[in-house]
Amino acid sequence: MRTFEKSSKLDNVCYDIRGPVMDEADRMIAAGERIVKLNIGNPAPFGFRAPDAVIDTMSNNLTLTEGYSDSKGLFSAREAIVKYCKLKNIPNVTVDDVYTGNGASELITMSMQGLLNNGDEVLVPAPDYPLWTASVTLAGGTAVHYICDEQSEWNPDIEDIRSKITDKTKGIVVINPNNPTGALYPREILEQIVDLAREHELILFADEIYDRLVMDGHEHIALASLAPDLLTVSFNGLSKSHLIAGYRCGWMCLAGDKSKAKGYVEGLKLLSSMRLCSNVPAQSLIPAALDNLEDTKKLLVPGGRVYEQRNYVVDAIADIPGLSVVKPKAAFYCFPKIDIKKFNITDDEQFALDFLKEKHILFTHGKGFHWDEPDHFRIVYLPCVDDLKIAMEAMKDFMATYKQA
């Protein structure tokens, strides 16, 4: 009998959706055990709700959005995105340069499929949002990881980026604000990345899905705003800022100078048409959502839920011997460091599995984000403070005696 195996391309994809930790968590949940989940950036299960104006807009438009839209999206949605680009000083974006997607993730994959041939390279940060590495790999390319420096508040190491550019390099991915570290990059770092892209004629890929989730009075600077003479492909969406992850509502904009990328643009148009269109009811709420940014801001100031939960987790980590963390400025993640010598840790996945089994707390180990050393893990601080207290007290108790076998 003929058998079928998975594509060999998947062998080199480290997109940590599955694995022994998630398998064990699923088994425990199926057995009726309660798990505190600190592993996924999905606001809905933790009591966050989208603004009423956004929900009402989508509800009122349901019967008007039952058919396909243009493959790039509804004109009204793309027009609102162009307006938002102007607000962010993102240059040279017209309605024709905007593609809506079933979340930004779909468009990240599309952007790589339309560009890469076998053997092409793309510079991707480490740690990264692992879909980037997966998308590069599945498109036939090679993800070359540049280091983000924890000693410099997780900012990209410019010299490391420079050293890894070759004649095969097609582009540089910048995730800002960053997942998993919560870092927010300053203007001078972004300008240096733009200078490298300019020098080597590279495309910039700006993953800015968390640009409206910034705290402590800081400002997010759109990468494309610093590079009007380069092609920048910018990604954004409403899943995080408007708390509607399940609606699958994202977009991609081609900004700056597109004159040398006509073939690439044609490829993106073809790929966009092949999937017909993105979720049309979700597209319909984009104008209302981008006119409603105040509800998000309330979460990010003193007294706001995201702000207070971040502060609690950062303080709780500082109180656990052997752990430390750079305080995140944005998003809702932090990436604590473990003193691996103190705990004899050589396998961070085993560490996450041991903690899950003993304390029923789930987080993602650092290698799931292409961080090579077994000395980090990611915490999502979206659960309510009561659950965060349970988790952090359990971690303090666990680390007091833990030694990896």
Side-chain angles (χ1 to χ4, degrees):
M1 179 182 292
R2 185 178 180 184
T3 60
F4 298 89
E5 301 294 335
K6 75 177 188 301
S7 167
S8 60
K9 287 183 178 180
L10 294 174
D11 292 338
N12 295 318
V13 173
C14 183
Y15 189 23
D16 194 53
I17 296 175
R18 299 307 321 171
V21 180
M22 280 303 304
D23 288 345
E24 177 63 15
D26 289 346
R27 185 201 66 75
M28 293 169 73
I29 292 168
E33 300 177 56
R34 183 176 184 268
I35 302 294
V36 177
K37 295 184 177 181
L38 307 180
N39 68 313
I40 188 167
N42 181 11
F46 306 117
F48 289 93
R49 290 292 174 263
D52 290 341
V54 172
I55 300 298
D56 291 345
T57 297
M58 185 171 174
S59 178
N60 293 336
N61 279 284
L62 277 177
T63 58
L64 304 176
T65 54
E66 293 175 338
Y68 299 129
S69 70
D70 181 276
S71 67
K72 292 181 180 180
L74 294 169
F75 183 88
S76 60
R78 290 183 287 145
E79 190 175 43
I81 293 165
V82 170
K83 179 181 175 182
Y84 184 72
C85 287
K86 291 178 179 177
L87 181 68
K88 298 285 293 185
N89 297 314
I90 296 175
N92 194 25
V93 177
T94 70
V95 169
D96 286 339
D97 297 316
V98 177
Y99 297 74
T100 62
N102 297 305
S105 297
E106 176 190 42
L107 298 167
I108 288 170
T109 300
M110 186 187 298
S111 73
M112 294 295 103
Q113 289 175 332
L115 177 68
L116 299 180
N117 292 309
N118 289 341
D120 288 342
E121 296 175 353
V122 176
L123 292 171
V124 177
D128 71 343
Y129 172 51
L131 177 67
W132 276 105
T133 296
S135 295
V136 172
T137 303
L138 291 173
T142 299
V144 178
H145 292 99
Y146 65 84
I147 296 299
C148 295
D149 182 7
E150 187 172 19
Q151 300 305 310
S152 180
E153 297 189 318
W154 289 114
N155 289 326
D157 184 326
I158 300 300
E159 291 309 311
D160 192 54
I161 297 175
R162 187 191 307 277
S163 72
K164 290 173 178 174
I165 296 173
T166 72
D167 57 2
K168 296 180 180 179
T169 307
K170 296 293 185 181
I172 305 174
V173 174
V174 179
I175 305 173
N176 177 43
N178 184 264
N179 175 10
T181 65
L184 180 71
Y185 302 154
R187 178 182 294 271
E188 56 267 28
I189 291 292
L190 297 174
E191 288 176 338
Q192 290 177 70
I193 294 172
V194 168
D195 287 343
L196 285 176
R198 184 177 290 123
E199 178 183 349
H200 295 277
E201 299 184 308
L202 303 177
I203 300 174
L204 292 166
F205 294 93
D207 184 343
E208 299 177 335
I209 191 77
Y210 300 99
D211 73 333
R212 295 176 295 280
L213 291 168
V214 175
M215 291 172 273
D216 304 325
H218 295 293
E219 177 190 6
H220 175 266
I221 299 168
L223 186 65
S225 70
L226 305 176
D229 57 322
L230 303 177
L231 172 59
T232 302
V233 186
S234 297
F235 302 84
N236 214 311
L238 304 178
S239 294
K240 313 301 183 179
S241 65
H242 287 73
L243 313 173
I244 52 173
Y247 287 36
R248 312 311 298 134
C249 189
W251 60 83
M252 171 177 75
C253 302
L254 308 184
D257 184 2
K258 297 173 276 286
S259 64
K260 297 179 182 179
K262 293 181 181 178
Y264 180 38
V265 173
E266 283 300 311
L268 293 176
K269 288 180 180 178
L270 176 61
L271 289 167
S272 179
S273 298
M274 286 171 63
R275 51 95 206 231
L276 296 181
C277 68
S278 66
N279 181 338
V280 185
Q283 292 180 45
S284 73
L285 59 78
I286 291 175
L290 291 180
D291 277 339
N292 183 352
L293 303 179
E294 293 305 313
D295 284 352
T296 299
K297 291 178 182 178
K298 294 175 184 176
L299 299 170
L300 306 169
V301 296
R305 185 172 163 187
V306 173
Y307 179 94
E308 297 297 339
Q309 291 177 188
R310 177 202 60 171
N311 287 357
Y312 169 75
V313 167
V314 168
D315 290 345
I317 291 169
D319 194 43
I320 300 175
L323 297 186
S324 61
V325 68
V326 176
K327 187 175 185 178
K329 295 185 176 80
F332 31 67
Y333 310 110
C334 62
F335 203 53
K337 184 175 183 177
I338 316 163
D339 182 343
I340 55 177
K341 291 183 179 179
K342 177 180 176 65
F343 303 109
N344 195 40
I345 292 174
T346 58
D347 184 338
D348 57 347
E349 186 173 54
Q350 185 62 50
F351 165 62
L353 184 60
D354 292 342
F355 185 57
L356 170 67
K357 288 180 175 179
E358 182 171 327
K359 297 297 186 180
H360 295 197
I361 314 291
L362 176 64
F363 58 74
T364 305
H365 61 292
K367 286 188 180 178
F369 304 99
H370 298 101
W371 187 255
D372 286 340
E373 297 298 320
D375 60 353
H376 282 80
F377 61 97
R378 188 186 74 170
I379 289 177
V380 179
Y381 49 84
L382 283 173
C384 66
V385 168
D386 287 345
D387 277 349
L388 290 175
K389 286 181 177 179
I390 290 170
M392 300 314 297
E393 288 170 4
M395 182 167 288
K396 186 174 185 178
D397 181 68
F398 180 79
M399 302 307 284
T401 58
Y402 183 71
K403 290 284 185 182
Q404 192 166 94

PDB file of all heavy atoms in Angstrom, residues 168 176 214:
ATOM      1  N   LYS A 168      23.543  36.422  -0.886  1.00  0.00           N
ATOM      2  CA  LYS A 168      22.282  35.686  -0.950  1.00  0.00           C
ATOM      3  C   LYS A 168      21.165  36.342  -0.137  1.00  0.00           C
ATOM      4  O   LYS A 168      20.014  35.909  -0.204  1.00  0.00           O
ATOM      5  CB  LYS A 168      22.481  34.250  -0.445  1.00  0.00           C
ATOM      6  CG  LYS A 168      23.426  33.408  -1.297  1.00  0.00           C
ATOM      7  CD  LYS A 168      23.555  32.016  -0.724  1.00  0.00           C
ATOM      8  CE  LYS A 168      24.500  31.161  -1.556  1.00  0.00           C
ATOM      9  NZ  LYS A 168      24.649  29.786  -0.979  1.00  0.00           N
ATOM     10  N   ASN A 176       9.189  44.742  15.938  1.00  0.00           N
ATOM     11  CA  ASN A 176       9.234  45.884  16.856  1.00  0.00           C
ATOM     12  C   ASN A 176       7.847  46.513  16.978  1.00  0.00           C
ATOM     13  O   ASN A 176       7.320  47.022  15.992  1.00  0.00           O
ATOM     14  CB  ASN A 176      10.233  46.926  16.321  1.00  0.00           C
ATOM     15  CG  ASN A 176      10.288  48.169  17.191  1.00  0.00           C
ATOM     16  OD1 ASN A 176      10.296  48.075  18.415  1.00  0.00           O
ATOM     17  ND2 ASN A 176      10.288  49.337  16.561  1.00  0.00           N
ATOM     18  N   VAL A 214       2.204  50.069  23.717  1.00  0.00           N
ATOM     19  CA  VAL A 214       3.461  50.637  24.217  1.00  0.00           C
ATOM     20  C   VAL A 214       3.195  51.353  25.537  1.00  0.00           C
ATOM     21  O   VAL A 214       2.192  52.054  25.677  1.00  0.00           O
ATOM     22  CB  VAL A 214       4.050  51.611  23.177  1.00  0.00           C
ATOM     23  CG1 VAL A 214       5.286  52.303  23.726  1.00  0.00           C
ATOM     24  CG2 VAL A 214       4.390  50.858  21.883  1.00  0.00           C
TER      25      VAL A 214
END
